[in-house]
């Protein structure tokens, strides 16, 4: 059983003693006096309803041919930017402490990764063969280069805690526990390279064969003791000291010590079919098949969305419904949850429109509602991500735009819109002509928002393309941030429709056709896509099998 009902949450983990910052995120400091005066007298634009939207046939939208943003598909890999204090962005140590320009990680050149996670002082990845890599000062203080710490287990996902890593096998039946810190004498080669022996043919004819029963020396959670027949673990998520496992039957298991496993929740929660789980540092979220959202853990900044902050709801030991989300039976269906640091995010579908809401800590603008609220106990709406719509040619009408994915760091966040456009090719493969827009907000001390400026954002705004001239002018080979150079105010700095980051949806791999069956479509073509991730002051985009 789990030691504590909070899944390892310490009563001293959250202290409300940080200074409250101003609601002004500093965006006006660089503007001229005339510009600021004009802003004071500018009238607020009128509210535009869904029925008032008219398609502008002259609108120029971003396309892959316009921006050449297919680089990570032509040559798959990992691109990182932001804080390099712990050697996550550039393990070689040649780059400065802040890397403004997204750069490739040499160890993963030409690779598509199944998963990538960015922690406080460590990063972990799973390559396309299912091998696990770790790097950063939190793993090896002497050398930060990526190192394989587990192979031959066909790993699909990785989750990082303060003291250990959890990795999930692709068949959903094994969860391995890996030390976060590199052992003094290096990882045990026998444990890393262990290969499960094949059953002896003599066993099937009743003539022994017991020599093939050599156990796996790597530590595993006893998940098989909790899984029903044919039940699998489909995903894992982790906080500072706890991790959750979602099963194919919609049940939630958890662990905090890397040794034991427990079934999460009370009877009402366990009777619900859970579709998705998410973890912040010291809290957890889950959504069920009735469109409801559950929250539990520490509520020091209101991240459990239980209303006004009080000692009564400072900690919730058991999953508790968020009352602001009525559920699909009452017209407000939760369709996505995400969490990171001390902040929570939910996407609610109401009247065929998607609304994104947040709760918790917003000191750096990570709530996305335009404020720097320190403690936010009830859900607030993120207007730039809500009630979005676009004209669909095939449907000949306006259609709502939802959220395809979130990437939530400690104090910053990305949202990926579900607005990719694809066309069927002659080979019956859907080819993307326009990708998914990416918006960022929150803390930007280390240029992690990919906006080209070092200003925190209290509302989502479009991120720049990975190869934008704003980030790296042609005559500058190092990040301007590293040399304290100010960017010019030329026309290229505007985030117009042809100057923003878009992530490629599932597409045929362009660099080579591998013999592996991973990510292959029905006609044998390997499919890959781009995914964005966020950590503590660092961000990245990587290519993964679709």
């Amino acid at each position: 059983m789990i030691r504590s009902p909070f899944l390892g949450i310490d009563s001293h983990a959250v202290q409300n003693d940080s200074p409250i910052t101003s609601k002004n995120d500093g965006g006006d400091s660089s503007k001229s006096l005339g510009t600021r005066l004009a802003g004071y007298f500018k009238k607020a634009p009128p509210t535009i309803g869904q029925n008032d939207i008219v398609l502008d046939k002259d609108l120029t939208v971003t396309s892959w041919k316009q921006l050449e943003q297919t680089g990570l598909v032509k040559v798959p890999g990992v691109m990182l930017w932001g804080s390099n204090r712990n050697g996550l962005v550039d393990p070689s140590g040649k780059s400065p402490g802040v890397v403004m320009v997204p750069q490739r990680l040499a160890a993963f050149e030409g690779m598509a990764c199944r998963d990538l996670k960015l922690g406080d002082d460590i990063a972990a990845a799973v390559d396309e063969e299912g091998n696990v890599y770790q790097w950063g000062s939190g793993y090896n203080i002497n050398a930060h280069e990526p190192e394989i710490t587990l192979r031959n287990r066909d790993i699909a996902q990785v989750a990082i805690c303060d003291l250990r890593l959890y990795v999930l096998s692709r068949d959903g039946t094994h969860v391995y526990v890996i030390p976060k810190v590199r052992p003094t004498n290096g990882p045990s080669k026998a444990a890393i390279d262990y290969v499960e022996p094949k059953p002896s043919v003599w066993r099937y004819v009743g003539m022994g064969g017991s020599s093939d029963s050599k156990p796996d020396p790597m530590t595993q959670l006893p998940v098989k003791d909790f899984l029903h027949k044919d039940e699998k673990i489909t995903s894992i998520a982790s906080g500072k000291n706890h991790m959750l496992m979602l099963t194919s039957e919609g049940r939630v298991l958890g662990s905090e010590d890397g040794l034991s496993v427990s079934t999460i929740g009370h009877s009402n929660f366990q009777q619900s079919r859970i579709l998705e789980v998410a973890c912040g540092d010291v809290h957890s979220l889950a959504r069920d098949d009735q469109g409801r959202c559950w929250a539990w853990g520490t509520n020091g900044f209101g991240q459990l969305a239980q209303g006004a902050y009080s000692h009564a709801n400072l900690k919730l030991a058991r999953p508790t419904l968020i009352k602001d989300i009525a559920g699909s039976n009452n017209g407000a269906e939760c369709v996505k949850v995400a969490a990171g640091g001390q902040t929570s995010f939910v996407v609610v579908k109401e009247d065929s429109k998607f609304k994104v809401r947040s709760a918790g800590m917003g000191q750096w603008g990570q709530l996305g509602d335009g404020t720097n609220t320190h403690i936010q106990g009830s859900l607030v709406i993120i207007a730039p991500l809500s009630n979005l719509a676009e004209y669909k040619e095939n449907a000949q009408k306006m259609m709502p735009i939802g959220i395809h994915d979130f990437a939530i760091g400690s104090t910053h966040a990305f949202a990926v819109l579900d607005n990719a456009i694809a066309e069927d090719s002659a080979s019956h493969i859907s080819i993307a002509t326009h990708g998914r827009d990416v918006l960022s907000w929150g803390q930007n001390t280390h240029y992690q928002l990919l906006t080209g400026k070092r200003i925190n954002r209290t509302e989502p705004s479009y991120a720049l393309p990975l190869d934008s001239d704003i980030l790296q002018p042609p005559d500058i080979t190092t990040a301007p941030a590293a040399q304290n150079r100010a960017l010019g105010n030329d026309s290229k700095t505007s985030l117009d429709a042809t100057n923003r980051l878009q992530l490629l949806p599932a597409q045929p791999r362009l660099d080579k056709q591998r013999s592996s069956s991973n990510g292959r479509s029905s006609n044998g073509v390997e499919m890959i896509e781009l995914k964005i991730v966020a950590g503590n002051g660092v961000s990245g985009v990587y290519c993964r099998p679709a």
Side-chain angles (χ1 to χ4, degrees), residues 464-474 476 480 487 490 492 499:
L464 288 168
L466 299 174
D467 58 353
S468 172
D469 288 345
I470 302 174
L471 298 176
Q472 185 177 16
I476 298 177
L487 294 173
D490 55 21
K492 293 183 179 180
N499 192 20

Side-chain angles (χ1 to χ4, degrees), residues 327-364:
S328 53
N329 293 334
N330 297 297
E333 176 187 5
C334 180
V335 296
K336 185 173 284 294
V337 295
Q342 314 289 346
T343 313
S344 300
F345 300 88
V346 298
V347 181
V348 180
K349 186 177 182 180
E350 300 179 31
D351 299 326
S352 299
K353 299 178 183 178
F354 297 97
K355 301 180 186 296
V356 182
R357 303 180 184 275
S358 62
M361 184 183 190
Q363 180 180 357
W364 304 100

Side-chain angles (χ1 to χ4, degrees), residues 22-240:
S22 168
K23 292 187 178 182
N24 187 347
D25 65 358
D28 293 332
S29 59
S30 61
K31 296 180 180 179
S32 65
L33 177 61
T35 301
R36 281 181 282 173
L37 287 174
Y40 294 148
F41 296 97
K42 183 179 179 180
K43 295 183 179 180
T47 302
I48 301 177
Q50 192 81 341
N51 297 328
D52 298 324
I53 301 177
V54 178
L55 175 65
D56 182 355
K57 296 185 180 296
D58 296 325
L59 177 66
T60 300
V61 295
T62 311
S63 73
W64 294 108
K65 292 181 180 179
Q66 289 171 331
L67 287 185
E68 291 294 329
Q69 294 196 84
T70 55
L72 279 177
V73 179
K74 294 177 180 177
V75 183
V78 174
M79 296 190 76
L80 301 173
W81 64 91
S83 173
N84 195 43
R85 180 182 58 183
N86 295 302
L88 303 187
V89 177
D90 181 10
S92 69
K94 297 179 181 180
S95 297
V98 175
V99 178
M100 178 182 175
V101 181
Q103 64 181 49
R104 285 179 176 266
L105 200 57
F108 297 97
E109 189 75 2
M111 289 188 190
C113 293
R114 294 181 181 179
D115 198 9
L116 172 65
K117 292 295 191 307
L118 305 174
D120 291 343
D121 56 2
I122 185 176
V126 182
D127 68 17
E128 52 196 321
E129 303 300 333
N131 303 315
V132 178
Y133 293 74
Q134 292 173 241
W135 71 96
S137 63
Y139 169 67
N140 187 351
I141 190 65
N142 299 316
H144 301 163
E145 292 292 344
E147 183 176 70
I148 293 180
T149 55
L150 192 67
R151 72 167 86 239
N152 302 325
R153 304 321 198 279
D154 196 19
I155 300 303
Q157 297 178 37
V158 60
I160 300 176
C161 289
D162 273 353
L163 299 179
R164 59 187 64 88
L165 275 66
Y166 297 91
V167 296
L168 172 66
S169 64
R170 192 163 60 161
D171 65 7
T173 61
H174 301 275
V175 176
Y176 297 93
V177 184
I178 306 176
K180 172 189 171 183
V181 180
R182 188 180 193 270
T184 304
N185 298 323
S188 168
K189 182 174 177 57
I192 292 174
D193 296 336
Y194 167 84
V195 178
E196 183 177 1
K198 296 181 179 180
S200 170
V201 66
W202 299 109
R203 170 175 295 180
Y204 299 104
V205 296
M207 299 180 64
S210 60
S211 61
D212 65 355
S213 60
K214 181 181 178 181
D216 190 334
M218 187 62 70
T219 302
Q220 297 185 51
L221 289 179
V223 294
K224 292 184 178 180
D225 296 338
F226 291 80
L227 296 176
H228 299 154
K229 183 180 179 180
D230 298 327
E231 186 179 19
K232 310 292 184 182
I233 296 173
T234 58
S235 65
I236 57 176
S238 65
K240 288 288 188 181

